[in-house]
Amino acid sequence: MPQPPSAPGQASPVQASPAQAQELARAGTAVLLDVREAAEFAAGHAPGALHLPLIALAAGVELPPEAVGRTVLAICLSGHRSQRAAELLAARGIEVLNVTGGMGAWAQAGLPVTTPDSSTGHVI
């Protein structure tokens, strides 16, 4: 059953580095959820990431079926939108981690960035 929204002063969702997020996703224990806008996602995202913009998540759209029952790794460009997404998901009772530094940190760490057609992407 979903938990009520976090009360002011309650702990923030747990953070994961891009490298930690990649390992969790590779192991299959977690799924990356990119909460950026469609154009940002199309330009470049982490391989295997699911897409659900923050605005849709905030409007109550359900997670993609591939994410149900798994830990969610919320990611955006810099970590700010994904922090909000993580708070929304935690309030729904979903186990979630925020990827610190977002796709900017992901790319800086030398981790792969791809496009929907599997070509090399770039972070915008």
Side-chain angles (χ1 to χ4, degrees), residues 35-101:
V35 299
R36 296 176 298 153
E37 294 300 317
E40 293 173 287
F41 183 80
H45 57 270
L50 304 175
H51 183 234
L52 183 62
L54 177 59
I55 193 163
L57 189 63
V61 172
E62 295 296 320
L63 288 175
E66 304 91 334
V68 175
R70 297 169 72 190
T71 300
V72 173
L73 301 160
I75 192 165
C76 65
L77 177 60
S78 66
H80 296 291
R81 285 177 284 181
S82 58
Q83 177 66 30
R84 178 66 182 129
E87 291 165 357
L88 290 168
L89 291 169
R92 294 184 191 181
I94 295 168
E95 186 175 339
V96 59
L97 293 89
N98 180 41
V99 181
T100 55

